[in-house]
Coordinates of all heavy atoms in Angstrom, one line a residue:
M104 N -52.4 97.3 55.5 CA -53.5 98.1 55.7 C -53.4 99.4 55.0 O -54.5 99.9 54.5 CB -53.6 98.4 57.2 CG -54.3 97.3 58.1 SD -55.8 96.6 57.4 CE -56.9 97.4 58.5
K105 N -52.3 99.9 54.8 CA -52.1 101.2 54.1 C -52.5 101.0 52.7 O -53.1 101.9 52.1 CB -50.6 101.6 54.3 CG -50.3 102.9 53.5 CD -50.6 104.1 54.4 CE -49.9 105.3 53.7 NZ -51.0 106.3 53.4
K106 N -52.1 99.9 52.1 CA -52.5 99.7 50.6 C -54.0 99.6 50.5 O -54.6 100.1 49.5 CB -51.8 98.4 50.1 CG -50.3 98.6 49.9 CD -49.7 97.3 49.4 CE -48.2 97.4 49.2 NZ -47.6 96.2 48.7
I107 N -54.6 98.9 51.4 CA -56.1 98.7 51.3 C -56.8 100.1 51.5 O -57.7 100.4 50.8 CB -56.6 97.7 52.4 CG1 -56.0 96.3 52.1 CG2 -58.1 97.7 52.4 CD1 -56.3 95.3 53.1
A108 N -56.3 100.9 52.5 CA -56.9 102.2 52.7 C -56.7 103.1 51.5 O -57.6 103.8 51.1 CB -56.3 102.8 54.0
D109 N -55.5 103.1 50.9 CA -55.2 103.9 49.7 C -56.1 103.5 48.6 O -56.6 104.3 47.8 CB -53.7 103.8 49.3 CG -52.8 104.5 50.3 OD1 -53.3 105.4 51.0 OD2 -51.6 104.2 50.3
F110 N -56.3 102.2 48.4 CA -57.2 101.7 47.3 C -58.6 102.2 47.5 O -59.2 102.6 46.5 CB -57.1 100.2 47.3 CG -58.1 99.6 46.2 CD1 -57.7 99.6 44.9 CD2 -59.3 99.1 46.6 CE1 -58.6 99.1 43.9 CE2 -60.2 98.5 45.7 CZ -59.8 98.5 44.3
I111 N -59.1 102.1 48.7 CA -60.5 102.5 49.0 C -60.6 104.0 48.8 O -61.6 104.5 48.2 CB -60.9 102.1 50.4 CG1 -61.0 100.6 50.5 CG2 -62.2 102.8 50.8 CD1 -61.3 100.1 51.9
V112 N -59.6 104.8 49.2 CA -59.7 106.2 49.0 C -59.6 106.6 47.5 O -60.3 107.5 47.0 CB -58.6 106.9 49.9 CG1 -58.5 108.4 49.5 CG2 -58.9 106.7 51.3
D113 N -58.7 105.9 46.8 CA -58.5 106.3 45.4 C -59.7 105.8 44.5 O -60.0 106.5 43.6 CB -57.2 105.6 44.9 CG -56.0 106.2 45.5 OD1 -56.0 107.4 46.0 OD2 -54.9 105.5 45.5
K114 N -60.3 104.7 44.9 CA -61.4 104.1 44.1 C -62.7 104.2 44.8 O -63.5 103.3 44.7 CB -61.0 102.6 43.7 CG -59.7 102.4 43.2 CD -59.6 102.9 41.8 CE -58.2 102.4 41.2 NZ -57.9 103.0 40.0
R115 N -62.9 105.3 45.5 CA -64.1 105.4 46.3 C -65.4 105.3 45.6 O -66.4 104.8 46.0 CB -64.1 106.6 47.2 CG -64.1 107.9 46.4 CD -64.0 109.1 47.4 NE -63.8 110.4 46.7 CZ -62.6 110.9 46.4 NH1 -61.5 110.3 46.8 NH2 -62.6 112.0 45.7
K116 N -65.4 105.8 44.3 CA -66.6 105.7 43.5 C -67.0 104.2 43.2 O -68.1 103.8 43.3 CB -66.5 106.5 42.2 CG -66.5 107.9 42.4 CD -66.4 108.7 41.1 CE -66.3 110.2 41.4 NZ -66.1 110.9 40.1
Y117 N -65.9 103.4 42.9 CA -66.2 102.0 42.6 C -66.6 101.3 43.8 O -67.4 100.4 43.8 CB -64.9 101.4 42.0 CG -64.5 102.0 40.7 CD1 -63.3 102.7 40.5 CD2 -65.4 101.9 39.6 CE1 -63.0 103.2 39.3 CE2 -65.1 102.4 38.3 CZ -63.8 103.1 38.2 OH -63.5 103.7 37.0
V118 N -66.0 101.6 45.0 CA -66.3 101.0 46.2 C -67.8 101.3 46.6 O -68.5 100.4 47.0 CB -65.4 101.4 47.4 CG1 -65.8 100.9 48.7 CG2 -64.0 100.9 47.1
M119 N -68.2 102.5 46.4 CA -69.6 102.9 46.7 C -70.6 102.2 45.8 O -71.7 101.8 46.2 CB -69.8 104.4 46.6 CG -69.2 105.2 47.8 SD -69.9 104.7 49.3 CE -71.5 105.3 49.2
I120 N -70.2 102.1 44.5 CA -71.1 101.4 43.5 C -71.2 99.9 43.9 O -72.3 99.3 43.9 CB -70.6 101.6 42.1 CG1 -70.8 103.0 41.6 CG2 -71.2 100.6 41.1 CD1 -70.1 103.3 40.3
L121 N -70.1 99.3 44.3 CA -70.1 97.9 44.7 C -71.0 97.7 46.0 O -71.8 96.8 46.1 CB -68.7 97.4 45.0 CG -68.6 96.0 45.5 CD1 -69.0 95.0 44.4 CD2 -67.1 95.7 45.8
Y122 N -70.8 98.7 46.9 CA -71.6 98.7 48.1 C -73.1 98.8 47.8 O -73.9 98.0 48.4 CB -71.2 99.8 49.0 CG -72.1 100.0 50.2 CD1 -72.0 99.1 51.3 CD2 -73.0 101.0 50.3 CE1 -72.8 99.3 52.4 CE2 -73.8 101.1 51.4 CZ -73.7 100.3 52.4 OH -74.5 100.4 53.5
L123 N -73.5 99.7 46.9 CA -74.9 99.8 46.6 C -75.5 98.6 45.9 O -76.6 98.2 46.1 CB -75.1 101.1 45.7 CG -74.9 102.4 46.4 CD1 -74.9 103.6 45.5 CD2 -75.9 102.6 47.5
I124 N -74.7 98.0 45.0 CA -75.1 96.7 44.3 C -75.4 95.6 45.3 O -76.4 95.0 45.3 CB -74.1 96.3 43.3 CG1 -74.1 97.3 42.1 CG2 -74.4 94.9 42.8 CD1 -73.0 97.1 41.1
I125 N -74.4 95.5 46.3 CA -74.6 94.5 47.3 C -75.8 94.8 48.2 O -76.6 93.9 48.6 CB -73.3 94.3 48.1 CG1 -72.2 93.7 47.3 CG2 -73.5 93.5 49.4 CD1 -70.8 93.7 47.9
L126 N -76.0 96.1 48.5 CA -77.2 96.5 49.3 C -78.5 96.1 48.6 O -79.4 95.6 49.2 CB -77.1 98.0 49.6 CG -78.3 98.5 50.4 CD1 -78.2 98.0 51.8 CD2 -78.2 100.1 50.3
V127 N -78.6 96.4 47.3 CA -79.8 96.1 46.6 C -80.0 94.6 46.5 O -81.2 94.2 46.7 CB -79.7 96.7 45.1 CG1 -80.8 96.2 44.3 CG2 -79.8 98.3 45.2
L128 N -79.0 93.8 46.2 CA -79.1 92.4 46.2 C -79.6 91.8 47.6 O -80.4 90.9 47.6 CB -77.8 91.7 45.7 CG -77.4 92.0 44.3 CD1 -76.1 91.4 44.0 CD2 -78.5 91.4 43.3
S129 N -79.1 92.4 48.6 CA -79.4 92.0 50.0 C -80.9 92.3 50.3 O -81.6 91.4 50.8 CB -78.6 92.7 51.0 OG -77.2 92.4 50.8
V130 N -81.4 93.4 49.9 CA -82.8 93.8 50.1 C -83.7 92.9 49.3 O -84.7 92.4 49.8 CB -83.0 95.3 49.8 CG1 -84.5 95.6 49.8 CG2 -82.3 96.2 50.8
V131 N -83.3 92.6 48.1 CA -84.1 91.7 47.2 C -84.2 90.3 47.8 O -85.2 89.7 47.9 CB -83.6 91.7 45.8 CG1 -84.3 90.6 44.9 CG2 -83.9 93.1 45.1
G132 N -83.0 89.8 48.2 CA -82.9 88.5 48.9 C -83.7 88.5 50.1 O -84.4 87.4 50.4
M133 N -83.7 89.5 50.9 CA -84.4 89.5 52.2 C -85.9 89.5 52.0 O -86.6 88.8 52.7 CB -84.0 90.8 53.0 CG -84.7 91.0 54.3 SD -84.3 92.5 55.1 CE -85.2 93.7 54.1
L134 N -86.4 90.1 50.9 CA -87.8 90.1 50.7 C -88.3 88.7 50.2 O -89.5 88.4 50.2 CB -88.2 91.1 49.7 CG -88.0 92.6 50.1 CD1 -88.2 93.6 49.0 CD2 -88.9 92.9 51.3
H135 N -87.4 87.9 49.6 CA -87.8 86.6 49.1 C -87.5 85.4 50.0 O -87.7 84.3 49.7 CB -87.1 86.3 47.8 CG -87.6 87.2 46.7 ND1 -87.1 88.4 46.4 CD2 -88.6 87.0 45.8 CE1 -87.8 88.9 45.4 NE2 -88.7 88.1 45.0
V136 N -87.1 85.7 51.3 CA -86.8 84.6 52.2 C -88.0 84.5 53.2 O -88.5 85.4 53.8 CB -85.6 84.9 53.0 CG1 -85.4 83.9 54.2 CG2 -84.4 84.9 52.1
N137 N -88.5 83.3 53.3 CA -89.6 83.0 54.2 C -89.0 82.2 55.4 O -88.3 81.3 55.3 CB -90.7 82.1 53.6 CG -91.4 82.8 52.5 OD1 -91.6 84.0 52.5 ND2 -91.7 82.1 51.4
V138 N -89.4 82.7 56.6 CA -88.9 82.0 57.8 C -90.0 81.2 58.4 O -91.1 81.7 58.7 CB -88.4 83.1 58.8 CG1 -87.9 82.5 60.1 CG2 -87.3 84.0 58.2
N139 N -89.7 80.0 58.7 CA -90.6 79.1 59.4 C -90.1 78.8 60.8 O -89.1 78.2 61.0 CB -90.7 77.7 58.6 CG -91.7 76.8 59.1 OD1 -92.5 77.2 60.0 ND2 -91.8 75.6 58.6
Y140 N -90.8 79.4 61.8 CA -90.4 79.3 63.1 C -90.9 78.0 63.8 O -90.5 77.7 64.9 CB -91.0 80.5 63.9 CG -90.4 81.8 63.5 CD1 -91.1 82.7 62.7 CD2 -89.1 82.1 63.9 CE1 -90.5 83.9 62.3 CE2 -88.5 83.3 63.5 CZ -89.2 84.2 62.8 OH -88.7 85.3 62.4
D141 N -91.7 77.2 63.1 CA -92.2 75.9 63.7 C -91.3 74.8 63.3 O -91.3 74.3 62.2 CB -93.6 75.7 63.2 CG -94.3 74.5 63.8 OD1 -93.7 73.9 64.8 OD2 -95.3 74.0 63.4
M142 N -90.4 74.4 64.2 CA -89.4 73.4 63.9 C -90.0 72.0 63.6 O -89.4 71.2 63.0 CB -88.4 73.3 65.1 CG -87.6 74.5 65.2 SD -86.7 74.8 63.7 CE -85.6 76.1 64.1
S143 N -91.3 71.8 64.1 CA -91.9 70.5 63.9 C -92.2 70.3 62.4 O -92.4 69.2 62.0 CB -93.1 70.4 64.7 OG -94.1 71.3 64.3
K144 N -92.3 71.3 61.6 CA -92.5 71.2 60.2 C -91.4 70.5 59.5 O -91.6 70.0 58.4 CB -92.7 72.6 59.6 CG -93.9 73.3 60.1 CD -95.2 73.0 59.4 CE -96.3 73.9 59.9 NZ -97.5 73.6 59.3
Y145 N -90.2 70.5 60.0 CA -89.0 69.9 59.4 C -88.9 68.4 59.7 O -88.2 67.8 59.0 CB -87.8 70.6 59.8 CG -87.7 72.1 59.4 CD1 -87.9 73.1 60.3 CD2 -87.5 72.4 58.1 CE1 -87.8 74.4 59.9 CE2 -87.4 73.7 57.6 CZ -87.6 74.7 58.6 OH -87.5 76.0 58.2
L146 N -89.7 67.9 60.6 CA -89.6 66.5 61.0 C -90.6 65.7 60.1 O -91.7 66.2 59.8 CB -89.9 66.3 62.4 CG -88.9 66.9 63.4 CD1 -89.5 66.7 64.8 CD2 -87.6 66.2 63.3
P147 N -90.2 64.5 59.7 CA -91.2 63.7 59.0 C -92.3 63.3 59.9 O -92.2 63.2 61.2 CB -90.4 62.4 58.6 CG -89.2 62.4 59.5 CD -88.9 63.8 59.9
R148 N -93.5 63.0 59.3 CA -94.7 62.7 60.1 C -94.6 61.4 60.9 O -95.2 61.2 61.9 CB -95.9 62.6 59.2 CG -96.3 64.0 58.6 CD -97.5 63.9 57.8 NE -97.7 65.2 57.1 CZ -98.8 65.6 56.7 NH1 -99.9 64.8 56.7 NH2 -99.0 66.7 56.1
Q149 N -93.8 60.5 60.4 CA -93.6 59.2 61.1 C -92.6 59.2 62.2 O -92.3 58.2 62.8 CB -93.3 58.1 60.1 CG -94.4 57.7 59.1 CD -94.5 58.8 58.0 OE1 -93.6 59.5 57.7 NE2 -95.6 58.8 57.4
N150 N -92.0 60.3 62.5 CA -91.0 60.4 63.5 C -91.5 60.2 64.9 O -92.7 60.7 65.2 CB -90.3 61.8 63.4 CG -89.0 61.9 64.2 OD1 -88.9 61.4 65.3 ND2 -88.1 62.6 63.7
K151 N -90.8 59.6 65.8 CA -91.3 59.4 67.1 C -91.5 60.7 67.9 O -92.5 60.8 68.6 CB -90.2 58.6 67.9 CG -90.1 57.1 67.5 CD -89.1 56.4 68.3 CE -88.9 55.0 67.8 NZ -87.9 54.3 68.6
R152 N -90.7 61.7 67.6 CA -90.9 62.9 68.3 C -92.2 63.6 67.8 O -92.9 64.3 68.6 CB -89.7 63.8 68.1 CG -88.5 63.3 68.8 CD -87.3 64.2 68.7 NE -86.2 63.5 69.3 CZ -85.1 64.0 69.6 NH1 -84.9 65.3 69.3 NH2 -84.1 63.3 70.1
M153 N -92.5 63.5 66.5 CA -93.7 64.1 66.0 C -94.9 63.4 66.6 O -95.9 64.0 66.9 CB -93.8 64.0 64.5 CG -93.0 65.1 63.8 SD -93.5 66.8 64.3 CE -95.2 66.8 63.7
N154 N -94.9 62.1 66.8 CA -96.0 61.3 67.4 C -96.2 61.8 68.8 O -97.3 62.0 69.2 CB -95.7 59.8 67.3 CG -95.8 59.3 65.9 OD1 -96.3 59.9 65.0 ND2 -95.1 58.2 65.7
G155 N -95.1 62.0 69.5 CA -95.2 62.5 70.9 C -95.7 63.9 71.0 O -96.5 64.3 71.8
Y156 N -95.2 64.7 70.0 CA -95.7 66.1 70.0 C -97.2 66.2 69.7 O -97.9 67.0 70.3 CB -94.9 66.8 68.9 CG -95.2 68.3 68.8 CD1 -94.9 69.2 69.8 CD2 -95.9 68.8 67.6 CE1 -95.2 70.6 69.6 CE2 -96.2 70.1 67.5 CZ -95.8 71.0 68.5 OH -96.2 72.3 68.4
S157 N -97.6 65.4 68.7 CA -99.1 65.4 68.4 C -99.9 64.9 69.6 O -101.0 65.4 69.8 CB -99.3 64.6 67.1 OG -99.0 63.3 67.3
L158 N -99.4 63.9 70.3 CA -100.1 63.4 71.4 C -100.3 64.4 72.5 O -101.4 64.6 73.1 CB -99.4 62.1 72.0 CG -100.2 61.2 72.9 CD1 -101.3 60.6 72.2 CD2 -99.2 60.2 73.5
I159 N -99.2 65.1 72.8 CA -99.2 66.2 73.8 C -100.2 67.3 73.4 O -101.0 67.8 74.1 CB -97.8 66.7 74.1 CG1 -97.0 65.6 74.8 CG2 -97.9 68.0 74.9 CD1 -95.5 66.0 74.9
A160 N -100.1 67.7 72.1 CA -100.9 68.8 71.6 C -102.4 68.4 71.7 O -103.3 69.2 72.0 CB -100.5 69.1 70.1
I161 N -102.7 67.1 71.4 CA -104.1 66.7 71.4 C -104.6 66.7 72.9 O -105.7 67.2 73.2 CB -104.3 65.3 70.8 CG1 -104.1 65.3 69.3 CG2 -105.6 64.6 71.2 CD1 -104.0 64.0 68.7
Q162 N -103.8 66.3 73.8 CA -104.2 66.3 75.2 C -104.3 67.7 75.8 O -105.2 68.0 76.6 CB -103.1 65.5 76.1 CG -103.2 64.0 75.8 CD -102.1 63.3 76.6 OE1 -101.3 63.9 77.3 NE2 -102.2 62.0 76.5
L163 N -103.5 68.6 75.3 CA -103.5 70.0 75.8 C -104.6 70.9 75.2 O -105.3 71.6 75.8 CB -102.1 70.7 75.7 CG -101.0 70.2 76.6 CD1 -99.7 70.9 76.2 CD2 -101.4 70.4 78.0
F164 N -104.7 70.7 73.8 CA -105.5 71.7 73.1 C -106.8 71.0 72.5 O -107.6 71.7 71.9 CB -104.7 72.3 71.9 CG -103.5 73.0 72.4 CD1 -102.2 72.6 72.2 CD2 -103.6 74.2 73.2 CE1 -101.1 73.2 72.6 CE2 -102.5 74.8 73.7 CZ -101.2 74.3 73.4
G165 N -106.9 69.7 72.6 CA -108.0 69.0 72.0 C -107.9 68.6 70.6 O -108.6 67.8 70.0
E166 N -106.9 69.2 69.9 CA -106.6 68.8 68.5 C -105.2 69.2 68.2 O -104.6 69.9 68.9 CB -107.5 69.6 67.5 CG -107.4 71.1 67.5 CD -108.3 71.8 66.6 OE1 -109.4 71.3 66.4 OE2 -107.9 72.7 66.0
F167 N -104.7 68.6 67.1 CA -103.3 68.9 66.8 C -103.2 70.3 66.2 O -103.9 70.5 65.2 CB -102.7 67.8 65.9 CG -101.2 67.9 65.7 CD1 -100.4 67.8 66.8 CD2 -100.7 68.1 64.5 CE1 -99.0 67.9 66.7 CE2 -99.3 68.2 64.3 CZ -98.5 68.0 65.4
V168 N -102.3 71.1 66.7 CA -102.3 72.5 66.3 C -101.9 72.7 64.9 O -102.4 73.5 64.2 CB -101.3 73.3 67.3 CG1 -101.2 74.7 66.8 CG2 -101.8 73.1 68.7
N169 N -100.9 71.9 64.4 CA -100.4 72.1 63.0 C -101.3 71.4 62.0 O -101.0 71.5 60.8 CB -99.0 71.5 62.9 CG -98.0 72.4 63.7 OD1 -98.3 73.6 63.9 ND2 -96.9 71.8 64.1
G170 N -102.3 70.7 62.4 CA -103.2 70.1 61.4 C -102.7 68.9 60.7 O -103.1 68.5 59.7
I171 N -101.7 68.2 61.3 CA -101.1 67.0 60.7 C -101.9 65.8 61.1 O -102.4 65.7 62.2 CB -99.6 66.9 61.2 CG1 -98.8 68.0 60.6 CG2 -99.1 65.5 60.7 CD1 -97.4 68.0 61.0

């Protein structure tokens, strides 16, 4: 631990530059990620669970919510 701490203190400019580069890459990556909260989108349309889900949605809402 002493060696790691000495390295960070001695090379603090390089550590900060590395930190900033990783921070910028993280922000850019975060802006390009789309989150899909509807798990039914990942199932194939012919799946038994999707058929049941669509049947329940039709009975409850009158139409299938996801438009499948």
Side-chain angles (χ1 to χ4, degrees):
M104 279 312 254
K105 176 87 170 121
K106 289 182 182 181
I107 295 172
D109 288 339
F110 176 79
I111 292 173
V112 170
D113 291 339
K114 309 288 185 190
R115 65 183 170 268
K116 290 181 183 178
Y117 297 118
V118 172
M119 286 300 292
I120 290 171
L121 179 65
Y122 172 76
L123 290 174
I124 290 171
I125 292 172
L126 178 69
V127 168
L128 292 174
S129 298
V130 170
V131 169
M133 182 182 68
L134 294 174
H135 287 90
V136 171
N137 294 325
V138 178
N139 187 4
Y140 293 104
D141 186 9
M142 292 301 186
S143 66
K144 298 272 185 180
Y145 294 107
L146 293 173
R148 291 182 185 201
Q149 292 79 19
N150 191 324
K151 289 180 183 179
R152 291 182 187 192
M153 278 303 295
N154 291 339
Y156 180 72
S157 63
L158 194 66
I159 292 171
I161 289 170
Q162 289 177 355
L163 290 177
F164 304 111
E166 64 181 36
F167 191 59
V168 178
N169 290 337
I171 294 176

